[in-house]
Amino acid sequence: MKASLSKKTKFIFITGGVLSSLGKGLSAASIGSLLESRGLTVTFQKLDPYINVDPGTMNPFQHGEVYVTNDGAETDLDMGHYERFTNAVMGKKNNYTSGRIYYSVIMKERRGEYLGGTVQVIPHITDEIKEAIVQLDGCADVAIIEIGGTVGDIEGLPFIEAIRQLRTDLGREYTLFIHLTLVPYIKTAGEVKTKPTQHSVKELLASGIQPDILMCRTEGSLTEELKKKIALFCNVDANAVISAVDVESIYELPLKLRQEGVDDRILEKLGIWTGSPNLEPWEQLVRRIKNPKGTVTIGITGKYVDLKESYKSLHEALIHGGIANETNVALQYISADGLEDGTDLEKLDNCDAILVPGGFGSRGMEGKIQAVTYARERKIPFFGICLGMQLAVVEFARNIAKIEGAHSVEFNPATPHPVIYLMTEWFDFRTGKIEKRDQHSDMGGTLRLGAYPCILKPGTFAHTAYGREEISERHRHRYEFNNSYRARLEEAGLIVSGASPDNSLVEIIELADHPWFLGCQFHPEFRSKPMQPHPLFRDFIRAAINHKKGGKV
């Protein structure tokens, strides 16, 4: 199938070489921000080579965070970078995996759509990939496509072949290849080595792709001599060799890439004319980050504290809350297992506020409940997100409402008092349909996913933060607040400050006799941006500042 465009969106393809975790996602997001600063509109797509249909059922230790979009897609964490750095809104069409591509092709074969033909990687798999990419035509002026993994990976070859074909199908004026590689500094030799980049480009050339721009991840800026050497051996223009230097804050990256002129090269090669970029908002942001008026320490109690990528959006949202308050946020990750066995309890003493994030599974659960009790009894600002909110309800039910044995059926299916339970059906306000599930449903794609509306109660922490009555936030969970216990818990002092429009789904809970204690069923971190900090994170950090000062919120 030869792909074609009807609305003439330009496509940038970003590949990576040498090794993973070089920062393709951040590079793509930064390029998008630079193009937006010039008045262009951008969209993104991440193509992941793994066989999982989506990352929803993957272990966070292997994959990192699962990022949820408005339409309920469970996607790669790079979607978060794209949304935080630009005005683009991601959805199901912005993230594809090999599993999703193969699944679609196999279903077409089962339906007989290939008319009895032999189904092969080329052309059927590559055509499916091309179709997924070209559907972005018309969504924006420029579509930035990131190919996951590293050039040379077996599972990534169909994606590389598909974008090679697209260069032929669409032409050079509509396609651009950027290759991100590593230029390491060998300390013992005192030299910067270009050979890994040369071999990476050689591998890409073997697949039929000549990169137009090279972005070289390096500790410091490359000299002109090194750029010329790389250009000579990799067959690119010297001014198309870009230093992608290490930065203190990821939000410096757009400014650093602008200094290298990457946006100029992109526009030149794609034949796009724009005015000069307006980077004043990014410059102001970096100044605020680098000149804080103070520091607060936030204790984060979770299971995945050894892999910070598991809480990537949460980490960034807390930083955003600090930016809004001109405060540096120091994150103290505390193992829930350590709290459970008592080895890490003293770490809570040094925290100005405590946050219990989302998660799945029973391990460390009682340790998280101890963190809730600690924050409630000592009047330390507390923020519970998703599971954190549910465990705050369990802790309140047990210790304040005196409901002995109160628990979540996720952890104790035989609990006599399931204050958190598996809701088997609910109304989806987006589709206007009743959604159903039970304990036998598939794990993947059966959670309450995506954006849902919520009505706030006036005079509460939540209403004060948002400044309005109705909000919409993104969800990713299977268990819910059990309304059978709502009246009893409210009588004991629990405040339901946010609920669905039909009042059937409890979304936010608070405590009145506390400086700042709030739990929400949704994931507010997915809507926070450095220049538009989420109101709950802004007020949570403000509460931490006031607690540290010994004052009141």
Side-chain angles (χ1 to χ4, degrees):
M1 177 197 78
K2 181 175 181 179
S4 60
L5 303 176
S6 61
K7 298 181 181 177
K8 308 302 183 183
T9 291
K10 309 272 188 173
F11 289 84
I12 298 173
F13 299 101
I14 298 180
T15 56
V18 183
L19 46 79
S20 60
S21 299
L22 283 182
K24 293 190 302 295
L26 282 170
S27 298
S30 297
I31 288 170
S33 68
L34 289 175
L35 297 179
E36 278 195 345
S37 76
R38 288 176 171 269
L40 297 173
T41 57
V42 299
T43 190
F44 300 85
Q45 191 177 69
K46 176 73 181 292
L47 302 176
D48 281 307
Y50 50 76
I51 305 300
N52 305 67
V53 174
D54 62 43
T57 59
M58 294 175 71
N59 189 319
F61 282 118
Q62 293 192 26
H63 182 267
E65 167 187 84
V66 175
Y67 188 84
V68 179
T69 60
N70 281 342
D71 62 0
E74 294 177 286
T75 69
D76 185 80
L77 62 82
D78 280 333
M79 299 293 113
H81 292 315
Y82 304 157
E83 289 198 336
R84 284 188 287 272
F85 276 66
T86 71
N87 294 314
V89 177
M90 299 293 96
K92 293 179 180 178
K93 66 182 179 183
N94 299 102
N95 192 196
Y96 281 81
T97 68
S98 287
R100 184 176 173 188
I101 294 292
Y102 276 82
Y103 185 81
S104 177
V105 169
I106 290 170
M107 289 299 100
K108 288 180 180 180
E109 186 273 332
R110 293 290 83 189
R111 293 193 296 268
E113 292 186 25
Y114 297 119
L115 303 178
T118 301
V119 180
Q120 298 176 294
V121 174
I122 301 174
H124 300 96
I125 296 298
T126 51
D127 282 353
E128 191 76 16
I129 295 170
K130 287 158 64 176
E131 185 178 321
I133 294 171
V134 174
Q135 70 174 320
L136 297 179
D137 181 30
C139 294
D141 297 321
V142 179
I144 302 172
I145 316 298
E146 177 191 349
I147 312 299
T150 305
V151 168
D153 293 345
I154 292 175
E155 60 266 31
L157 289 176
F159 293 102
I160 297 297
E161 170 61 18
I163 66 174
R164 183 199 67 79
Q165 292 179 21
L166 281 173
R167 164 58 67 88
T168 302
D169 293 349
L170 305 181
R172 288 183 175 273
E173 66 271 30
Y174 289 103
T175 55
L176 178 75
F177 294 121
I178 297 177
H179 190 52
L180 178 65
T181 73
L182 178 67
V183 180
Y185 173 73
I186 308 302
K187 188 175 181 180
T188 54
E191 293 180 337
V192 172
K193 293 295 184 180
T194 65
K195 192 63 70 177
T197 291
Q198 295 177 41
H199 280 287
S200 182
V201 172
K202 183 179 179 181
E203 184 74 37
L204 193 58
L205 285 168
S207 298
I209 293 176
Q210 166 65 57
D212 300 296
I213 295 173
L214 288 178
M215 293 180 62
C216 302
R217 180 71 184 270
T218 177
E219 292 182 23
S221 295
L222 298 176
T223 64
E224 288 303 314
E225 182 181 355
L226 278 172
K227 286 185 177 182
K228 289 178 181 178
K229 179 181 179 180
I230 292 170
L232 176 64
F233 283 99
C234 297
N235 199 30
V236 299
D237 298 330
N239 67 0
V241 178
I242 305 298
S243 296
V245 299
D246 295 346
V247 291
E248 292 180 21
S249 167
I250 60 174
Y251 302 115
E252 293 181 71
L253 192 53
L255 300 177
K256 293 293 185 181
L257 293 181
R258 171 57 194 153
Q259 290 173 7
E260 288 286 307
V262 69
D263 49 331
D264 291 330
R265 300 291 80 75
I266 289 171
L267 298 179
E268 171 190 303
K269 292 179 180 296
L270 287 175
I272 301 174
W273 183 91
T274 71
S276 299
N278 175 20
L279 293 174
E280 179 59 28
W282 286 98
E283 291 168 352
Q284 290 180 2
L285 175 68
V286 172
R287 282 196 295 268
R288 288 173 69 91
I289 292 172
K290 292 195 169 185
N291 297 283
K293 295 181 178 178
T295 298
V296 292
T297 300
I298 307 298
I300 301 175
T301 302
K303 292 198 318 184
Y304 313 116
V305 295
D306 292 328
L307 181 65
K308 305 304 185 291
E309 293 290 277
S310 301
Y311 301 114
K312 188 60 181 176
S313 290
L314 178 65
H315 177 115
E316 295 305 318
L318 287 164
I319 300 301
H320 303 163
I323 293 170
N325 290 282
E326 298 183 273
T327 297
N328 177 57
V329 176
L331 303 180
Q332 172 74 58
Y333 287 94
I334 303 170
S335 169
D337 292 330
L339 291 179
E340 200 163 297
D341 62 25
T343 58
D344 284 344
L345 281 173
E346 73 282 355
K347 292 183 179 180
L348 293 173
D349 294 337
N350 301 318
C351 298
D352 301 308
I354 294 171
L355 187 149
V356 177
F360 295 89
S362 61
R363 184 169 64 83
M365 177 267 304
E366 289 296 339
K368 296 175 186 178
I369 291 177
Q370 286 187 46
V372 178
T373 303
Y374 187 95
R376 178 180 58 77
E377 292 180 343
R378 289 164 176 77
K379 306 295 184 183
I380 298 172
F382 172 83
F383 196 180
I385 296 175
C386 196
L387 176 61
M389 174 265 204
Q390 295 176 358
L391 294 181
V393 171
V394 171
E395 194 277 339
F396 184 90
R398 289 179 181 177
N399 299 325
I400 302 300
K402 303 302 180 183
I403 303 176
E404 187 175 349
H407 218 317
S408 166
V409 296
E410 179 179 6
F411 310 119
N412 181 6
T415 175
H417 295 291
V419 292
I420 303 296
Y421 78 129
L422 180 67
M423 180 177 280
T424 55
E425 72 176 47
W426 72 93
F427 183 72
D428 189 331
F429 290 88
R430 297 167 303 176
T431 63
K433 298 178 180 178
I434 299 293
E435 294 288 336
K436 295 183 179 182
R437 66 177 170 211
D438 59 33
Q439 64 270 29
H440 303 296
S441 298
D442 288 345
M443 287 187 67
T446 60
L447 293 80
R448 183 151 73 99
L449 292 165
Y452 280 78
C454 173
I455 305 301
L456 302 180
K457 183 177 182 179
T460 58
F461 295 135
H463 189 271
T464 298
Y466 284 97
R468 61 182 187 272
E469 186 173 315
E470 184 170 350
I471 61 171
S472 176
E473 293 285 1
R474 301 178 189 181
H475 292 250
R476 183 178 182 252
H477 56 95
R478 183 172 281 108
Y479 297 87
E480 305 278 356
F481 183 104
N482 190 342
N483 282 317
S484 298
Y485 291 88
R486 182 168 172 176
R488 187 171 174 182
L489 293 176
E490 286 182 318
E491 288 174 7
L494 189 74
I495 297 173
V496 174
S497 58
S500 58
D502 63 1
N503 208 32
S504 65
L505 299 169
V506 171
E507 299 281 21
I508 309 174
I509 61 97
E510 300 179 11
L511 297 183
D513 59 341
H514 196 283
W516 206 91
F517 189 108
L518 184 146
C520 57
Q521 186 60 81
F522 47 82
H523 287 269
E525 66 270 27
F526 293 147
R527 284 190 178 275
S528 188
K529 299 186 178 189
M531 297 181 198
Q532 299 169 14
H534 193 284
L536 290 182
F537 285 96
R538 179 200 63 213
D539 283 15
F540 177 55
I541 298 301
R542 183 182 299 155
I545 295 169
N546 289 329
H547 177 77
K548 183 175 183 178
K549 292 177 180 177
K552 296 182 179 180
V553 177

